[in-house]
Amino acid sequence: MEISINLFGGPDSPSAQIGTTVKSVEEFYEDGPLMAFLVSIPHCIFNSIYNVAEKEGMKLKCKVRARYVLDEKFMKTGIYKFARIILEVSSQDCDEEDLKDLINKVKMECPIYLSLMDRMEIRAVKAG
């Protein structure tokens, strides 16, 4: 089982989608600690991508999809533990290789990724 969250829009006011609900990231932060936590990880990656892109002189719009994969063994006991956090980044403004290079730079400086790299994967996917 997994939980998916999509972030999109500009870096100043991104929107997030969970299920069929779409609202600003700030509104999800106000929905309580669980929603704030779930949105904070892709939001941090989203912001890091824009920051690194700006340093590199790139202008792009990207989307980040976070997939929280739950550990099935723990779910049987009623504990929701994340086995993996998979972040898929897409952009129509650059090719896949440039996006992969950008992601590798993000991995070197994003504190969330550096703290959770044993459970987190960030990958470039084709925009669609």
Side-chain angles (χ1 to χ4, degrees):
M1 181 174 174
E2 64 181 45
I3 301 166
S4 292
I5 299 172
N6 296 302
L7 261 73
F8 53 90
D12 296 328
S13 59
S15 295
Q17 178 180 4
I18 301 175
T20 59
T21 303
V22 177
K23 44 187 174 176
S24 73
V25 169
E26 289 78 20
E27 290 175 294
F28 276 112
Y29 282 129
E30 293 171 2
D31 285 346
L34 176 60
M35 296 310 294
F37 173 75
L38 291 173
V39 170
S40 69
I41 292 174
H43 189 208
C44 181
I45 300 300
F46 187 84
N47 285 334
S48 294
I49 288 168
Y50 278 101
N51 288 335
V52 171
E54 186 178 324
K55 287 180 199 174
E56 298 289 318
M58 298 172 67
K59 293 207 183 264
L60 62 87
K61 280 194 170 187
C62 73
K63 293 180 182 179
V64 174
R65 178 177 183 223
R67 294 175 31 223
Y68 295 91
V69 180
L70 298 171
D71 187 318
E72 298 289 333
K73 291 182 287 186
F74 280 88
M75 280 186 59
K76 291 175 185 174
T77 65
I79 297 171
Y80 293 90
K81 177 184 176 199
F82 300 122
R84 299 279 308 146
I85 302 169
I86 302 166
L87 295 130
E88 300 170 334
V89 181
S90 64
S91 176
Q92 295 180 341
D93 299 324
C94 63
D95 66 31
E96 196 170 349
E97 285 306 311
D98 287 340
L99 190 56
K100 285 179 183 178
D101 290 343
L102 186 64
I103 288 169
N104 286 332
K105 291 174 183 170
V106 166
K107 288 178 178 180
M108 299 302 292
E109 65 179 57
C110 179
I112 295 278
Y113 178 78
L114 293 170
S115 297
L116 298 170
M117 71 171 76
D118 60 326
R119 286 187 218 195
M120 186 180 290
E121 177 183 345
I122 306 173
R123 60 174 101 146
V125 295
K126 289 188 179 194

